Each structure stands twice: as C-alpha cells, then as structure tokens.
Amino acid sequence: MNKEKIIKLVGNKFFTISFIKKDGTLRKMNARLGVTKHLKGGKKSYNPDDFNYLTVFDLGKKQDRTVNLNTVKEVKANKETLTF
C-alpha cells in the first residue's frame, strides 16, 4: 500500500476508506486527513510510519482512528477510486 498515493488522491478533502479491522471484519469509514480541531494534546507512544499505519479523522465518531495500510481494500475521493 502506498501512503503517498492515498495522500495525493485525498488531499485535504473528505474520503471513504474500506479496510479489514484487527478482528477480521470489513470497515467502511468516511474520513479526512489533517484534522486538528479535536486534539487534546499528548503524543503517540509509537511512530505510525514504523507500522505502515495512517492516522485519519473518523467523521462518524468524531475521533482519530489508525488504519493499517496493509489491510486497505479501497479508497474513494474526488470521484476517483483506488482499489488494492
């Protein structure tokens, strides 16, 4: 999975991402990158790039979520679809 490819497609717009969760179920999420409004400080205890993770803002739950890029199936944004 190419993180740069996703970021280039999505930019700062809303997008839909489908991926396999840790428990093996498929999750479809409306999200956005770079949202800082809801941050409360603190720092992650790990570097997401070390694990091939992407941090997104889940628009439904209004919280940050971490997506494993190795399990991404599809990304839709700007009337384009990337399928993996």
Side-chain angles (χ1 to χ4, degrees):
M1 169 59 47
N2 191 336
K3 183 177 184 177
E4 290 77 27
K5 198 182 233 186
I6 292 174
I7 292 171
K8 183 179 178 184
L9 170 70
V10 172
N12 196 26
K13 308 255 189 244
F14 298 107
F15 65 97
T16 302
I17 187 166
S18 300
F19 61 97
I20 305 296
K21 297 187 333 183
K22 269 187 182 180
D23 67 4
T25 60
L26 181 68
R27 169 106 192 263
K28 193 180 231 185
M29 176 190 324
N30 292 319
R32 190 169 183 188
L33 296 176
V35 175
T36 58
K37 180 178 179 181
H38 301 279
L39 291 179
K40 293 190 171 137
K43 189 175 182 182
K44 289 187 174 146
S45 61
Y46 63 94
N47 181 357
D49 291 333
D50 292 344
F51 299 97
N52 202 26
Y53 291 164
L54 178 66
T55 302
V56 301
F57 184 76
D58 182 342
L59 296 169
K61 297 192 178 194
K62 306 257 188 274
Q63 294 179 338
D64 279 339
R65 293 286 181 242
T66 302
V67 176
N68 183 343
L69 292 173
N70 297 322
T71 66
V72 172
K73 299 299 177 193
E74 186 177 77
V75 178
K76 291 182 180 182
N78 302 320
K79 298 181 183 178
E80 290 185 48
T81 302
L82 287 176
T83 305
F84 304 97

